[in-house]
Amino acid sequence: MPNIRVAVDARPSRPERMGRLPLTREHLRLLLGSGTGWALDAMDVGLISFVGLAVATQWDLSRTEQSWLLSVGFVGMAIGATVGGLLADRYGRRTVFALTLLVYGVATGASALVTGLAALLVLRFLVGLGLGAELPVASTLVSEMSPTRIRGRMVVVLEAFWAVGWLLAALIGYFVVPVSDAGWRWAFALGLVPALYAVVVRWGLPESPLFLERRGRVEEAEAVVRRFEASAGVEPQESAPLPAAAARTPGQLWSPAYRVRTAGIWLVWFCVNFSYYGAFIWLPTLLHAQGYDMVRSFGYTLVITLAQLPGYAVAAFLVEVWGRRATLATFLVGSAISAALFGMAGGVGQLIASGMALSFFNLGAWGALYAITPEIYPTSIRGAGAGAAAGFGRLASIIAPLSVPFVLGWWGDAGLFAVFGATFAAGALAAYLLLPEQAGEVLDVG
């Protein structure tokens, strides 16, 4: 019987060509462009914690009304994250990213003109739709276009722009909001910036070549890959076509192949969202309730926020050294301990030190979480998978701010932060369901 030899195409695929590249100027442009949108997103989320206190004071809102003001945006975020991921798999990462910036920028700017709580709640819901859709889409775009050896680090650095945006919010809260009765309106007016930046994103950032090729837009995909190769001084190569992808729908997230990792990522997203937003959205108000005036509580929040940046830096290093899961679990354990210490803090020094530790570990955990989320699914459902996890997590960000007044009434500050600590610990356990480890591995192109 004659030997039958099957020809193997030795040419690299376009994702392999992208994954082998060193870090180039084009990668940095991608990171800066996406990160700027991410920072503007964080600025908007952070603003409501400062504006919420000012509006509650000026309009004499009850704790329940203030809770809804802080939470309604997360209702929009839960819907936006899920829908945004689906749209990104169909219409492209860059296109949806730009659209979300436009939506929440316009809605935030319009919030400066409201005269009543009902209108503000509607606009905050619309803001949430845009914000929720943007975050998983941006992380998917960066993940698919990063060099394989530093892919996790690139996504953590992208997430670090969140700290920049939150710092901007804290600065606006400290210098703008308390200046006059209209200070919170000027803070919202600054939120128009993302709408203008959407134009830059739409025309300045490249689309993911992996998405383009899977949608049959091979020439566009090749042009993007060659642009990055030229930036690295690498001669372009002929590419092997991608293998045929299995027909997949978002329902595949719960198929036997993915159900364990889907359960794990949903649990981690829920736990991190619950504790982060429950603590940080209410932080200026909680400090104010302890007897600090508005300016001082905003100032303490600003100092605590500064610790987010080194948290991201350490996580960016460890995700490629320890791996994604170990880094995520470690930072969540650190967050749990810090939350418990914050709840028991007595003087100002203990309050700030434990708050900074909470910022450090919690935001480092966020960085590792965003690094791991897009990696655990194939291209055809990557956006949907990341969006669904984020959307489920946003349910916790709705529940947490609403539950804070009740938990405070039952158990006080110590009990509230013990709940947050226990939730962080549960997230650390769920992190070990996220198999297999993806550090150094090529993304699944299916």
Side-chain angles (χ1 to χ4, degrees):
M1 184 174 180
N3 290 330
I4 299 176
R5 296 185 179 181
V6 178
V8 177
D9 196 332
R11 296 174 298 172
S13 65
R14 289 180 182 86
E16 288 172 334
R17 286 163 61 190
M18 287 288 290
R20 294 172 183 176
L21 293 176
L23 183 66
T24 70
R25 184 175 297 178
E26 287 295 328
H27 289 111
L28 295 177
R29 286 182 59 189
L30 170 69
L31 197 55
L32 180 61
S34 302
T36 300
W38 200 287
L40 293 171
D41 188 332
M43 183 185 79
D44 193 284
V45 175
L47 276 177
I48 195 61
S49 65
F50 300 96
V51 168
L53 176 56
V55 171
T57 303
Q58 192 176 127
W59 290 357
D60 195 26
L61 301 182
S62 67
R63 274 286 175 89
T64 300
E65 289 173 323
Q66 188 180 359
S67 295
W68 276 109
L69 178 59
L70 297 178
S71 294
V72 70
F74 297 115
V75 178
M77 289 178 80
I79 298 170
T82 304
V83 174
L86 294 171
L87 293 175
D89 282 339
R90 182 165 185 176
Y91 297 109
R93 289 51 164 136
R94 179 186 64 175
T95 300
V96 176
F97 185 23
L99 179 62
T100 59
L101 285 167
L102 181 65
V103 168
Y104 85 75
V106 171
T108 300
S111 301
L113 304 176
V114 298
T115 57
L117 180 61
L120 185 55
L121 290 176
V122 170
L123 287 170
R124 290 307 301 173
F125 173 78
L126 293 176
V127 167
L129 284 178
L131 292 174
E134 181 203 335
L135 296 176
V137 172
S139 60
T140 298
L141 176 65
V142 171
S143 183
E144 289 184 343
M145 299 183 69
S146 297
T148 300
R149 64 182 179 81
I150 57 168
R151 185 178 61 241
R153 190 165 295 163
M154 288 273 287
V155 177
V156 177
V157 172
L158 170 68
E159 232 294 272
F161 279 87
W162 183 271
V164 175
W166 204 276
L167 281 171
L168 288 173
L171 290 169
I172 293 169
Y174 186 74
F175 290 108
V176 177
V177 175
V179 170
S180 68
D181 287 346
W184 63 269
R185 296 184 184 275
W186 286 110
F188 273 145
L190 291 171
L192 278 170
V193 174
L196 301 175
Y197 187 67
V199 178
V200 177
V201 170
R202 182 64 185 85
W203 300 111
L205 292 183
E207 181 58 271
S208 164
L210 191 48
F211 164 80
L212 291 170
E213 188 164 0
R214 277 295 176 214
R215 300 300 290 184
R217 297 157 63 180
V218 176
E219 291 184 1
E220 293 176 66
E222 180 65 22
V224 174
V225 174
R226 292 195 176 210
R227 172 174 159 183
F228 278 74
E229 287 176 332
S231 180
V234 173
E235 288 294 323
Q237 300 173 271
E238 289 295 323
S239 283
L242 291 178
R248 292 189 178 96
T249 65
Q252 292 291 112
L253 298 176
W254 290 100
S255 67
Y258 301 110
R259 65 172 58 139
V260 172
R261 67 187 74 175
T262 295
I265 203 70
W266 282 31
L267 284 171
V268 177
W269 270 89
F270 189 92
C271 292
V272 174
N273 270 275
F274 183 88
S275 295
Y276 175 75
Y277 287 108
F280 282 91
I281 289 294
W282 274 96
L283 188 57
T285 301
L286 293 175
L287 293 172
H288 188 258
Q290 291 186 20
Y292 303 108
D293 60 39
M294 187 182 296
V295 174
R296 187 174 295 182
S297 66
F298 286 179
Y300 290 161
T301 303
L302 174 59
V303 173
I304 289 170
T305 302
L306 288 171
Q308 295 182 7
L309 287 169
Y312 283 124
V314 175
F317 172 75
L318 292 178
V319 289
E320 304 295 0
V321 177
W322 286 359
R324 283 48 158 160
R325 290 180 302 142
T327 302
L328 176 59
T330 300
F331 274 78
L332 286 173
V333 170
S335 299
I337 295 170
S338 301
L341 292 174
F342 187 86
M344 296 184 293
V348 172
Q350 293 179 5
L351 198 70
I352 292 178
S354 57
M356 291 181 74
L358 182 58
S359 272
F360 176 91
F361 285 110
N362 194 187
L363 277 297
W366 270 115
L369 180 58
Y370 270 104
I372 200 171
T373 301
E375 295 183 341
I376 62 176
Y377 296 112
T379 301
S380 56
I381 55 171
R382 182 167 294 126
F392 184 75
R394 297 306 175 192
L395 296 177
S397 64
I398 299 166
I399 296 168
L402 289 173
S403 64
V404 164
F406 300 102
V407 180
L408 279 174
W410 297 331
W411 300 323
D413 285 357
L416 176 66
F417 280 87
V419 170
F420 293 151
T423 308
F424 278 132
L429 293 174
Y432 283 96
L433 298 176
L434 304 178
L435 294 167
E437 174 62 53
Q438 295 295 313
E441 299 294 327
V442 177
L443 288 176
D444 185 341
V445 300

